[in-house]
Amino acid sequence: MDMTFTGRGVQVTDQVRSMAEQKLAPLGRIEPRATTLELELINEHHPTVDGVKRVEGALRIPRKTFRATAEAQDLPTAIDRVRDKLERQLRDHHGKKKATQTKGAVGYADTITAEPEED
């Protein structure tokens, strides 16, 4: 999985990059088809003097893109929140696929085994 980091008002250092790669690596294990993960690190100036850090993430798999946004006082917390949101979306996506397959299979089997009654 390729990771792309973009900083707006925030310097993307090697320390930030390695920390984010370590925290976001489990997403690649949950969804092995993931091709790219784009992270945008943004420093918001208006709420406080120090500013709030906002992280926007986009995880791409074939035919689908998952997006998440989170704000926090520091980058590690914001990255954790984005990871949690993306992880929830991936798990929901996997759950929907399995539920659709089992529901269709059960309905199909019921129609085949049903025999008309004769008097």
Side-chain angles (χ1 to χ4, degrees), residues 30-47:
I30 293 172
E31 180 55 73
R33 298 179 304 149
T35 56
T36 60
L37 175 63
E38 298 174 3
L39 276 184
E40 190 167 0
L41 312 172
I42 304 164
N43 188 17
E44 298 286 346
H45 296 291
H46 53 275

Side-chain angles (χ1 to χ4, degrees), residues 62-116:
R63 307 172 110 202
K64 186 88 172 164
T65 300
F66 300 99
R67 298 183 187 278
T69 304
E71 291 183 350
Q73 293 296 322
D74 57 341
L75 281 175
T77 305
I79 291 172
D80 282 339
R81 290 179 183 170
V82 166
R83 182 198 62 216
D84 292 341
K85 289 179 181 182
L86 288 173
E87 185 176 333
R88 181 192 50 79
Q89 290 177 20
L90 286 172
R91 292 195 191 281
D92 288 349
H93 177 68
H94 283 289
K96 286 180 183 177
K97 286 192 326 189
K98 290 178 183 173
T100 304
Q101 291 172 353
T102 57
K103 181 179 178 185
V106 171
Y108 182 72
D110 289 342
T111 57
I112 289 176
T113 58
E115 297 178 11

Side-chain angles (χ1 to χ4, degrees), residues 3 5 10-24 39 41 74-76 79:
M3 292 189 190
F5 297 93
V10 176
Q11 195 74 337
V12 182
T13 62
D14 290 335
Q15 181 183 5
V16 170
R17 186 181 308 269
S18 65
M19 181 257 316
E21 287 175 352
Q22 180 182 7
K23 288 182 181 242
L24 297 170
L39 276 184
L41 312 172
D74 57 341
L75 281 175
I79 291 172

